[in-house]
Amino acid sequence: MLAFLDPADAGGTGVVVSAVAGMAGVGKTALALVAAHQAMEQGWFGGGVYFVDLRGYTPDPGKRVSAAAAAGDVLRKMGIRDTDLPPTGEERLALYRSVLAEQARQGLPVLVVADNAAVTGQVEPLLPAQPCHRLLITSRHTLTLAAHLVDLTVLPEEEALDLLRTALQPSRPDPRIDAEPHPATTIARLCGRLPLALQITAALLRAEPDRLLADMAAELADARHRLDALDTGDADSHGRPYAVRAAFDLSYRHLVDTQPEQARLFRLLPLDPGPHLSLSVAAALDDAPAPVTRRRLAALSRAHLVTAPVPGQDRWAMHDLVRLYADEHGRTEANSDGRERALDRMLAFYLDTADAADGHLRALPGQSTSERFGGRQDALAWLDAERANLVAAVALADSTHRHHVTLDLSAHLTEYLAWRRHLDDRLAVANVAVRAGNRLGDRRGEAGALNNLGVALCEMRRFTDALITHRKALTILRKLRDRHSEAQVLNNLGSALSGLRRYTEAITAQQKALTILRLLDDPRSEAHVLINLGNALSGVRRYTEAITAQQKALTILRLLDDRHSEAQVLINLGNALAGVRRYTEAITAQQKALTILRLLDDRHGEAKVLNSLGSILGEAGRFEEAVTVLEDALTARREVEDRHGEGITLTNLGNALDELGQFKAAVTAYRDALAVYRELGERHGEGTALNNLGSALSGVGRFDEAITVLTDALAVCRELGEQHGEGMALNNLGNALAEAGRFEEAVTLHRKALTICREADDRHGEGTALTNLGNALGELGRFDEAISAFERATIIFETVRDDRRRKRAQALAEAARRRNAE
């Protein structure tokens, strides 16, 4: 309904319907006709409704209708004979105003529909002076009139599908939209949700009633020929081609005729590969001062050939089909427009600015940085705004054989993409950089790109691929005798090996890196190797050495005032301290890390430290605090879309809930963790989640389910060769069997768990296995053996300083003695 036409509440004498080029013919004009028809039906305009086509976008300027000619046309439709019309344009406009004044005096309001106005001068003289009259104007431009503006943009998805559905079946049912919903949605998207494009597609589909929508979607998906596909070969009632390109042609030709510099900028804008571009980039393409380019962009926006998607910001976008159209003309006019030079200017702007921003991200306190940004936060804000464009620019530079730009721009984005955890972008950029380095024959550049690619793969937990990639980089660097880069790759190689739980090899790689860096006197790189070395040492439960490594790294980083890296060390140090049950120190370390990361606004790091802190609180027996912290960690993990981290936190949350006896909540947490790990194909995490889920199911008395789940956990751990997990699964399965009254089987499994934990030098696991073995033996009445198991468990828990479990083992031993005495 077009209620704005009601004379009682329109709020002005003029209404402008302004539309993107692709809405023409089926958008703004149709809306104007519907409005006119509605007005007549409602009886709003007793003096009549009059339609005039101003032909503002016809290629021949001589055929465009002036305001005076339009006034004469309206007067004829009001019944004035040609012989009574004044000879000059000014006189006709004066008569037009006089007639409207007389109609107002008689209480007969008039609606004039002026379609296809190109400039303000075509319609401004037609604006009625009397408030009872209305002038409804349609234009491809936003005209500068004192009138109410109705902007027609693209349709919402559901409305686009409805239009497509309706247009497909004007005379007979057509079930294809509902039968193929996904291809239908794809067609609507590829048509840009423009009514004209959707109507044309529907016409093509009506001509081929047996054609699948999937086939049409595939044809439209080819961007090179999409505009050709959106052409019926037919014409409208005015003889105009019924095609999207034809609709665009009208706006473009008007631009070429009246504003050639705007037309040139229009043709150059598609060179930017991102979804929207800044004024600075547009000015680089335009090779003009920013104020000049802004005026040209504003004019293109008024013509609905570009849009400003972010109000209040100098960022501009083009509709997909308009972009394709502009790019076609840009390629045709490439030489006259200086297209290649414009591309060089744009890429140079991205490269130089990204270099300056990267400098701010990497700088330590006191180091000089580019004055282009006010500080680190300004640099981050620019990178955030330009990320999609920058990532696409890396690929564009490579595809246009500007391989040096590809390598350099990729390197400048590495730190930022790591900081913001844009892992898919980081992987894509690194892959393109590797290819560019290879094509250039730049072996050092290729090795650096391979190293970045390996780190990205490691972050995505593709450890085997990371291992292969780092080894390729290592081979190149050793041939080049680049010892410093070799050490950095060895460090990252060690991280990939740790991810594969090949800790001994990881320790060897990182010790080699450490030796090289100490010879080269690079303390910052040395600290980062020490961090990873400490993690690998923790992986084989050599916690004392791990603590030493992390403390050395902490000393170096504090001297360098590298706060972010300091926080990472504190997280790892806290985990290692927890490994030797020094919980108070461990919690203090995590809390210090949390303070730093919040100051640095590192939400991903905050999620990581909250997870570690919650886990350690649980180990220390502070379960209620652990649950609160882990719930905060879970919220943060989900905010930063860290699915693997979410699985880890869910597991730790389940552990804390289980210890509090909240078994149903624990089961839910473990099931959620299991779903995450299975989604990611993370087998190690799956084994851990199954282990914990089985234990929790036992806690709620669902023993048969627990036994099934724990049998699966055991199979996963054996498949992975994960001794620690296998020992845990055997322990938990033994407990479930004991709860089900199958004590002999439980004893067998606990003895196997005990053997595995001893082989793995897992003292804590050994104590747990002895406690569980003692329980099963006691149930069989074999009290002497049970007491012996409890006593050995007590000694172990005392050694590892786990007072809670030591006291429990002592209490169980005493209970077994009483039962034996009875």
Side-chain angles (χ1 to χ4, degrees), residues 399-419:
S399 66
T400 56
H401 309 293
R402 292 162 169 84
H403 301 308
H404 283 103
V405 174
T406 301
L407 273 177
D408 291 344
L409 186 54
S410 170
H412 296 330
L413 294 179
T414 299
E415 182 75 10
Y416 164 71
L417 294 173
W419 176 267

Side-chain angles (χ1 to χ4, degrees), residues 137-186:
I137 306 158
T138 72
S139 177
R140 296 163 185 267
H141 285 69
T142 301
L143 304 179
T144 53
L145 288 167
H148 178 66
L149 176 67
V150 179
D151 258 327
L152 298 186
T153 56
V154 298
L155 296 174
E157 182 178 291
E158 283 304 314
E159 291 183 27
L161 289 172
D162 285 343
L163 189 154
L164 194 58
R165 183 183 290 105
T166 302
L168 264 180
Q169 44 191 13
S171 57
R172 64 178 182 179
D174 191 318
R176 283 180 284 182
I177 297 298
D178 296 319
E180 298 181 74
H182 180 68
T185 302
T186 302

Side-chain angles (χ1 to χ4, degrees), residues 298-328:
L300 291 173
S301 179
R302 289 194 294 274
H304 291 279
L305 293 170
V306 302
T307 58
V310 184
Q313 294 187 25
D314 282 328
R315 302 197 70 80
W316 308 80
M318 302 180 87
H319 187 281
D320 288 348
L321 295 178
V322 177
R323 175 190 283 269
L324 288 173
Y325 178 85
D327 193 50
E328 282 185 0

